[in-house]
Amino acid sequence: MSEITVSVPDREAFNDRDHRDDRDELGPARSPARAWWRRELRPLLMRVHFYAGLFVGPFLLVAAVTGLLYTLSPQLEQLVHHDQLHVPVPPGATPVPLTRQVSAAIAALPEGTVSAIRPAGTADGTTRVIFDAPGVPADYSRTVFLDPYNAQVRGILTTYGEWLPVRAWFDELHRTLHLGAVGRVYTELAASWLWVLTLSGLTIWLARVRRGRRARRLRLAVTPRLRGAGRARVRSWHGAVGLWAAVGLLFLSATGLTWSQFAGTNVDSVRAALHWSSPSVHTALPADQLAPTATGSTADLAATAGRVLAVAREHGLSDPVEITPATEPGRAWVVTQTKRSWPEKHDSLAIDPATATVVDQIRFADWPLAAKLARWGIDAHMGLLFGLASQLALAALALGLISMIVWGYRMWWLRRPARPAPVPAGPPGGTRRPGFGAIALVGAAAIAVGIFLPVFGVSLLLFLLVDAVRAQRTPARTG
């Protein structure tokens, strides 16, 4: 049998072509600005994009995977906790008074203190009475679920805000990996660098495809290669998908930072200084009036809950609503709408429980625009604003980010030298080092941003140290 020989391209030649493409993709510079971009700024952006992708990639991958799982949690919550969330609707039946429902909940959990009440918002929904209870983790509560038609208890669960155990578990996985305060650093690192990776990658990609006619540039920018092989094809998918996902990724980064441990505190301070925080009603009552509190008798608390709900209904607060009892004498009860899907409803009233009068009110229509945008942004990030449409968009962004991370590591692997041994490759762009002007410009911006985003600033210093050590071991190429 004759021997069949298959010719394959030389690996080193392939790598050389890739490296030349990295260095000279824009062709000869036609202006001082383009020359400065090619010789100074672009190498720095390439290095930042490379090191950030290399070291932050695993954190982004975990955030994307856990975020993808979280997008599935609403449907899973409905399936697992169906008996606590839904009741059969008797023909022609009407709900029993809220007073009776609250009394039944307190009897079922006498060791707890009522912190909030959520009447059934739909015909087949349950009423929730939320308690601060001993033995419950910080920020969690015990919630009693009741059939609004007969006040029978449907279940008692440990909840996180409005999330039941299933969604609360996935939410905690995404935010902290169930590691508490230490775990919050991982999400802050991912959110702090996601916008940097997105903008630097977008700049590099658009500069790469700017040669040629406009129609060809547009096609190269938005359409990945369906044919061919090797690093060029992987790069086309990485760049094109990144272009399509850029706006969504920037949105996720910005909204994700609002919940972060360190940057989130700075965000809150800025919002407060600019009066962008969500407004809240004033609950102080005249000094001679003492509002019933959640520590009063069961009958008083239950009766007050029914009374303030009736007042809220008279003033136009439709379901779903949450009733918050006064926590100390001299304070009003608060009733707030909690509809977080479009169109959102967040009107709130402060009600004197003794006189059944409204002492303060805030309508969502009167919120400052910045506060509305923050509310909409947070709810969109959580997949609540447009319901299933938000979930599908978030799932698509998560899948796109996962794919780009995998393609990024694949490109890094394909750039490794083939001889004498497969070893990791350095930053794209060969050994050309960034110019001092570019370093000064980007460094000044990084310092300013790093003060506001401390996790970003510390990690950036680490990347620069790694690059400096590597540069000392690699001869610089000029020109």
Side-chain angles (χ1 to χ4, degrees):
M1 180 180 296
S2 61
E3 182 179 356
I4 300 177
T5 302
V6 178
S7 175
V8 297
D10 180 70
R11 178 59 178 275
E12 288 186 344
F14 173 78
N15 281 338
D16 288 343
R17 288 195 299 272
D18 261 344
H19 283 229
R20 285 197 302 270
D21 184 53
D22 279 336
R23 292 193 300 265
D24 300 317
E25 64 191 24
L26 295 180
R30 297 181 180 178
S31 69
R34 185 173 297 185
W36 184 78
W37 152 260
R38 190 181 69 171
R39 295 181 179 276
E40 296 196 20
L41 185 57
R42 179 178 173 274
L44 183 58
L45 286 180
M46 294 285 284
R47 294 171 103 83
V48 170
H49 193 77
F50 170 79
Y51 282 118
L54 184 64
F55 295 114
V56 181
F59 298 94
L60 282 170
L61 184 62
V62 171
V65 171
T66 57
L68 179 61
L69 294 174
Y70 175 78
T71 62
L72 306 175
S73 63
Q75 285 72 27
L76 188 59
E77 181 181 71
Q78 291 288 326
L79 179 64
V80 173
H81 300 298
H82 182 272
D83 290 343
Q84 288 79 41
L85 292 171
H86 301 284
V87 297
V89 182
T94 58
V96 301
L98 183 62
T99 299
R100 179 179 166 188
Q101 299 180 53
V102 174
S103 297
I106 295 174
L109 198 67
E111 70 276 15
T113 301
V114 175
S115 60
I117 303 162
R118 289 187 172 227
T122 59
D124 68 338
T126 54
T127 293
R128 305 184 192 187
V129 181
I130 304 161
F131 292 81
D132 293 330
V136 177
D139 299 325
Y140 282 75
S141 307
R142 293 285 284 171
T143 299
V144 178
F145 297 82
L146 303 123
D147 187 327
Y149 298 102
N150 54 28
Q152 292 183 352
V153 175
R154 302 279 294 182
I156 303 176
L157 299 173
T158 298
T159 56
Y160 179 78
E162 61 186 288
W163 304 150
L164 277 61
V166 165
R167 202 187 315 196
W169 190 89
F170 281 107
D171 178 74
E172 187 73 15
L173 177 69
H174 180 58
R175 291 187 300 111
T176 70
L177 298 180
H178 293 278
L179 297 175
V182 175
R184 291 183 66 185
V185 177
Y186 112 85
T187 49
E188 183 162 356
L189 181 66
S192 296
W193 278 98
L194 180 56
W195 66 273
V196 178
L197 282 165
T198 302
L199 291 179
S200 61
L202 194 63
T203 302
I204 294 167
W205 180 244
L206 292 178
R208 176 181 293 277
V209 300
R210 66 178 296 176
R211 295 174 63 190
R213 291 176 298 178
R214 178 176 299 179
R216 180 178 181 274
R217 295 200 305 265
L218 179 62
R219 178 177 58 81
L220 290 175
V222 303
T223 307
R225 293 187 184 182
L226 301 178
R227 298 180 179 180
R231 182 166 162 267
R233 183 170 182 265
V234 176
R235 183 174 55 207
S236 75
W237 280 92
H238 183 85
V241 172
L243 179 64
W244 283 102
V247 173
L249 296 178
L250 291 174
F251 167 80
L252 291 179
S253 176
T255 53
L257 285 171
T258 62
W259 290 299
S260 61
Q261 187 169 2
F262 303 106
T265 302
N266 294 332
V267 171
D268 291 341
S269 299
V270 171
R271 290 180 61 190
L274 297 176
H275 304 289
W276 289 355
S277 301
S278 301
S280 58
V281 292
H282 297 290
T283 60
L285 295 175
D288 59 342
Q289 296 182 8
L290 298 179
T293 70
T295 58
S297 69
T298 298
D300 286 345
L301 190 144
T304 303
R307 186 161 55 249
V308 298
L309 179 62
V311 174
R313 295 283 192 245
E314 292 173 359
H315 284 77
L317 265 65
S318 57
D319 288 323
V321 298
E322 179 176 274
I323 304 168
T324 305
T327 56
E328 59 185 28
R331 295 288 176 178
W333 285 42
V334 177
V335 183
T336 303
Q337 290 178 307
T338 59
K339 186 173 183 290
R340 301 176 71 177
S341 58
W342 190 265
E344 294 202 325
K345 295 181 180 179
H346 293 287
D347 294 353
S348 58
L349 301 175
I351 301 172
D352 183 339
T355 62
T357 57
V358 174
V359 298
D360 192 21
Q361 62 179 309
I362 294 178
R363 301 292 177 175
F364 186 62
D366 298 328
W367 280 30
L369 178 59
K372 288 182 179 179
L373 292 175
R375 178 78 269 168
W376 292 330
I378 290 172
D379 290 342
H381 187 112
M382 301 177 73
L384 302 173
L385 187 58
F386 298 109
L388 183 60
S390 292
Q391 290 180 256
L392 293 175
L394 290 172
L397 280 174
L399 289 172
L401 182 56
I402 292 169
S403 300
M404 284 188 290
I405 294 169
V406 173
W407 290 327
Y409 280 111
R410 178 59 177 164
M411 287 189 292
W412 175 54
W413 180 254
L414 290 174
R415 289 187 69 251
R416 74 194 192 282
R419 296 187 183 92
V423 295
T431 56
R432 173 179 289 140
R433 296 178 186 170
F436 175 79
I439 294 176
L441 176 64
V442 176
I447 291 173
V449 174
I451 294 174
F452 191 76
L453 308 177
V455 173
F456 166 79
V458 172
S459 55
L460 176 61
L461 288 177
L462 178 61
F463 298 162
L464 294 176
L465 287 174
V466 171
D467 190 52
V469 171
R470 188 181 182 93
Q472 293 299 320
R473 301 174 57 184
T474 306
R477 185 178 69 84
T478 61

